[in-house]
Amino acid sequence: MKKQIMVITAILLIGISGWLLYDNNQPEKTNGNTKGVQPGFEEGSNTISFGLLDENDKVVNNGSILEPKENKLEYTLSLSNFIEVERDYALIVLDNFKQIPFTVQGKQYNVYPFNAKANKTVDFKTSISVNKDTSEIDYLVIKKPNYFTEKLDIPKMHSLQEILPLRFQVKNNSQKQKTATFTPEEIFNEGPNDTIFISKQKEELTILPTERSGEDIYISVGNINEEKENYNIIALSNWKQVPFENNEVVGNVLVNPGERKVFKFKLPFVKANSNFQVIALPRPYEVSEKDYESTRAEGSMRAVIKP
């Protein structure tokens, strides 16, 4: 797991939204200009940077508070693909951790695919309809959404498990929403641990490259830190949110230090190969631009569901 060809390091972009990801892998391309959302990072810098821009093209701090206008959030998403390869991406949006449709350039999507050419920036206008109960909005960018890792290839799987998140509070007058607390099938206090992991066995964290639809797998939510962690988790098949065993599409998991909670999950039925991933979002409804951890999103390694 530590032998990686590629290293991705997420750091807070000082004074602006988005994270800067150093990426030294893979062949891919985009349209746009050569100016990034982070000053000083430009064509040839071997970086990926991304963020939201307001109507004045000013960067919105990741973790800050968005204020709807006429029940809409309208911002430009900017992604600078300053690597030497072209790459496909996809955008999904969560409202209180539930996937919702949104508009790009006047057209509605649940999943918005886009392409970024080498050393170019892609900008597109987004519009999200919110309601009085919306407390958190998350923009999640997925790398290479149509790429399948059907064989055990740890460097590629490490690269593709990375989610590019932008998380925000939404100004409203309602109380914070509550998420159903998931009851684990088993709790481990010893042995291997990881923040979010999918495997065939609950006792071991063995990478699962592929599995047949309808089969049972196990989702592990762990805590390798020294303080309690609180996560909301979601599951995606072909980048569309799918329910857990109790028909809830969002689950809350509180994990003590050194603990790993395990949940049984039946893979959805598919008609064609489908990427499957579980995402853990720490500190739900507590996102803050002063708290880096609250703006993160942790993805499991992808598994390919086969019909």
Side-chain angles (χ1 to χ4, degrees):
M1 297 278 289
K2 292 185 178 179
K3 295 181 180 178
Q4 298 184 31
I5 294 174
M6 184 187 106
V7 177
I8 299 181
T9 303
I11 63 173
L12 180 63
L13 297 183
I14 298 174
I16 73 167
S17 73
W19 311 114
L20 181 66
L21 289 100
Y22 292 91
D23 191 334
N24 299 313
N25 201 23
Q26 267 127 69
E28 291 180 351
K29 294 181 187 174
T30 309
N31 43 5
N33 55 53
T34 58
K35 180 183 178 182
V37 292
Q38 164 68 345
F41 293 95
E42 54 190 18
E43 181 180 357
S45 63
N46 202 34
T47 60
I48 300 170
S49 60
F50 59 104
L52 285 191
L53 306 177
D54 66 16
E55 58 188 2
N56 298 312
D57 285 338
K58 292 182 179 180
V59 181
V60 181
N61 289 353
N62 196 9
S64 60
I65 301 174
L66 305 182
E67 186 169 359
K69 295 180 180 179
E70 297 181 352
N71 297 320
K72 291 186 181 296
L73 297 172
E74 297 187 331
Y75 295 92
T76 296
L77 191 143
S78 180
L79 184 144
S80 298
N81 191 60
F82 292 153
I83 56 179
E84 299 301 321
V85 293
E86 181 179 355
R87 172 167 287 168
D88 290 327
Y89 296 91
L91 171 67
I92 66 173
V93 174
L94 307 179
D95 179 330
N96 292 347
F97 305 96
K98 296 179 181 179
Q99 188 174 12
I100 59 167
F102 57 96
T103 299
V104 175
Q105 313 289 58
K107 186 176 179 180
Q108 191 174 83
Y109 297 88
N110 285 304
V111 181
Y112 177 66
F114 62 99
N115 176 271
K117 296 191 182 301
N119 285 306
K120 300 293 181 182
T121 294
V122 178
D123 296 325
F124 51 87
K125 294 182 178 180
T126 65
S127 178
I128 301 170
S129 296
V130 296
N131 58 53
K132 62 180 179 62
D133 294 323
T134 302
S135 297
E136 181 172 328
I137 284 286
D138 305 315
Y139 301 76
L140 303 182
V141 177
I142 297 149
K143 299 188 301 182
K144 301 184 76 170
N146 300 317
Y147 188 90
F148 297 111
T149 51
E150 298 185 47
K151 296 181 179 180
L152 186 62
D153 188 328
I154 292 176
K156 284 184 179 178
M157 297 177 84
H158 266 300
S159 168
L160 294 174
Q161 81 178 103
E162 300 286 344
I163 302 295
L164 312 184
L166 294 169
R167 295 178 60 187
F168 301 94
Q169 292 187 54
V170 177
K171 187 175 182 179
N172 64 28
N173 297 317
S174 65
Q175 295 181 338
K176 290 182 180 178
Q177 301 298 300
K178 292 183 179 180
T179 305
T181 300
F182 279 6
T183 302
E185 180 168 296
E186 195 157 348
I187 300 175
F188 293 91
N189 292 294
E190 295 180 349
N193 206 348
D194 200 358
T195 301
I196 188 76
F197 201 94
I198 55 176
S199 57
K200 190 63 178 174
Q201 305 85 19
K202 58 184 173 183
E203 297 84 5
E204 300 177 1
L205 298 185
T206 303
I207 298 172
L208 184 69
T210 65
E211 186 54 277
R212 294 288 176 186
S213 62
E215 291 293 314
D216 288 334
I217 64 167
Y218 291 94
I219 298 170
S220 289
V221 183
N223 183 359
I224 58 175
N225 300 316
E226 296 180 355
E227 297 180 358
K228 284 185 179 181
E229 287 290 351
N230 184 27
Y231 296 98
N232 272 2
I233 62 171
I234 65 169
L236 301 172
S237 174
N238 199 28
W239 313 119
K240 295 179 181 178
Q241 195 168 13
V242 292
F244 293 97
E245 297 292 279
N246 54 7
N247 289 321
E248 297 282 353
V249 294
V250 186
N252 181 256
V253 184
L254 182 65
V255 197
N256 292 315
E259 193 173 62
R260 177 167 66 93
K261 293 185 174 180
V262 183
F263 307 85
K264 182 181 280 189
F265 181 85
K266 184 179 290 293
L267 290 171
F269 289 94
V270 297
K271 296 182 179 179
N273 283 1
S274 174
N275 274 312
F276 176 79
Q277 188 172 33
V278 181
I279 299 174
L281 297 108
R283 303 177 190 179
Y285 302 115
E286 296 178 0
V287 61
S288 168
E289 59 185 302
K290 296 180 180 180
D291 179 8
Y292 165 72
E293 291 295 321
S294 73
T295 62
R296 293 169 54 239
E298 294 277 350
S300 69
M301 287 193 182
R302 295 185 196 175
V304 178
I305 306 176
K306 291 183 169 293

